[in-house]
Amino acid sequence: MKILIDCGASNGSAIEELDIKHGPFDRIYAIEPNPENAGHITSDKSKLIKLEAAISTAYGNINLYLSEKYDGSTLYPNKLSGRIDKDNFIEVKAIDFSDWLTINVSQDDHVVCKMDVEGAEFDVLEHLLKTRKMNLIDVLLVEWHPSRFPNPWKLRYRRFLIKMRLLFLPIISENWR
């Protein structure tokens, strides 16, 4: 089965582009924690499964910090872009993405994963590597956000280390946007 997992799906605007470039897909998961954005994800395709949650390294509830306009959000209140309001947050469900992958895809599936999760990509990808679940993904498209946080050199270094470890896996890894 060919599967798209759109982590940080926002309003679903990238799904059609991803379906054209990497599909067609038999199943599409749109994962978005911000209810304002998730409410706009629609499709006439029955293959779309919408999950209102934040990808993370553990299950539970977590604060989602919102922007002044409410449609922007991040799990990290120290994010420097997007006009994040540290006093404006909601509690959202978090899923252990490594465990979720194990439950929802198999080694026989062809999985394309787009990840635009406003800083959480570092922790989530390192967790996938640590738990040895990265092999469930065939194509990984990541929007990295090192310049949007304090100490961008530290995140650039983490990005470099993650990319180096990905080089030794049989997956295609590209920058998204």
Side-chain angles (χ1 to χ4, degrees):
M1 183 178 310
K2 196 162 187 183
I3 299 172
L4 169 64
I5 304 170
D6 188 352
C7 300
S10 186
N11 61 8
S13 60
I15 291 173
E16 187 173 327
E17 177 185 344
L18 290 163
D19 200 27
I20 291 167
K21 186 174 181 183
H22 296 280
F25 295 102
D26 301 306
R27 184 176 300 145
I28 298 171
Y29 292 99
I31 305 173
E32 172 58 41
N34 188 326
E36 178 71 21
N37 289 335
H40 295 286
I41 299 172
T42 58
S43 175
D44 56 356
K45 302 173 183 172
S46 61
K47 61 185 173 183
L48 176 69
I49 299 167
K50 184 169 53 171
L51 180 60
E52 200 170 304
I55 64 166
S56 184
T57 60
Y59 289 103
N61 292 323
I62 192 166
N63 287 341
L64 181 71
Y65 296 88
L66 305 171
S67 71
E68 296 170 352
K69 298 185 299 178
Y70 192 79
D71 62 344
S73 52
T74 182
L75 300 178
Y76 302 98
N78 61 344
K79 185 172 176 246
L80 302 174
S81 65
R83 297 184 179 162
I84 298 301
D85 181 352
K86 295 175 186 173
D87 298 321
N88 184 18
F89 60 88
I90 57 174
E91 191 173 85
V92 298
K93 179 172 80 170
I95 59 171
D96 179 329
F97 189 58
S98 176
D99 186 59
W100 183 90
L101 273 175
T102 304
I103 295 166
N104 290 282
V105 303
S106 77
Q107 195 66 54
D108 295 332
D109 293 327
H110 179 81
V111 177
V112 175
C113 179
K114 185 256 289 141
M115 192 174 291
D116 182 0
V117 290
E118 304 303 316
E121 64 274 7
F122 296 98
D123 294 335
V124 170
L125 290 172
E126 286 174 342
H127 186 62
L128 284 173
L129 288 164
K130 178 181 165 189
T131 58
R132 299 177 187 242
K133 299 301 179 187
M134 189 66 83
N135 64 339
L136 293 171
I137 297 172
D138 298 286
V139 177
L140 177 65
L141 308 165
V142 181
E143 181 171 345
W144 300 94
H145 295 93
S147 62
R148 298 179 186 177
F149 292 90
N151 295 326
W153 65 268
K154 181 179 179 183
L155 294 181
R156 284 188 194 106
Y157 178 70
R158 284 179 71 188
R159 176 179 65 183
F160 172 76
L161 290 178
I162 292 169
K163 283 183 165 185
M164 291 304 294
R165 291 173 68 191
L166 289 173
L167 285 175
F168 298 102
L169 296 174
I171 66 169
I172 298 167
S173 178
E174 300 176 13
N175 290 333
W176 172 252
R177 303 268 183 225

